[in-house]
Amino acid sequence: MPVFVLRGAHRAADGQIGLPLFEEAITADNPVDAVRLANTQDLSTKDERANALWLVDAQGVLHWSLRRADRD
């Protein structure tokens, strides 16, 4: 089963995204299922400074991104 990586970082007011504050592996059959699982993640247990989230596959292809404010 493919592994995807959910990452979170701090996005500054000028739009710059810093280095990842956390990375979490998500195992899913396909990118659609991986995005669904990423959206169900409980962010309260993650680094609170992370206000930018994104999901990549093993090759580093971006499949999903979100500003945390859009979700909260």
Side-chain angles (χ1 to χ4, degrees):
M1 192 174 295
V3 175
F4 298 82
V5 179
L6 175 63
R7 293 185 177 131
H10 177 74
R11 180 179 183 267
D14 65 3
Q16 285 194 310
I17 296 177
L19 296 174
L21 298 169
F22 68 84
E23 296 186 352
E24 183 171 318
I26 294 178
T27 304
D29 288 327
N30 55 60
V32 172
D33 287 344
V35 169
R36 183 182 50 76
L37 290 169
N39 272 303
T40 65
Q41 293 291 313
D42 179 6
L43 298 178
S44 65
T45 61
K46 311 283 189 256
D47 192 316
E48 291 183 9
R49 297 172 295 165
N51 59 3
L53 307 169
W54 66 98
L55 183 75
V56 297
D57 63 21
Q59 289 74 40
V61 175
L62 178 67
H63 289 276
W64 174 83
S65 66
L66 179 75
R67 287 183 325 129
R68 191 170 182 168
D70 293 339
R71 182 171 172 189
D72 292 340

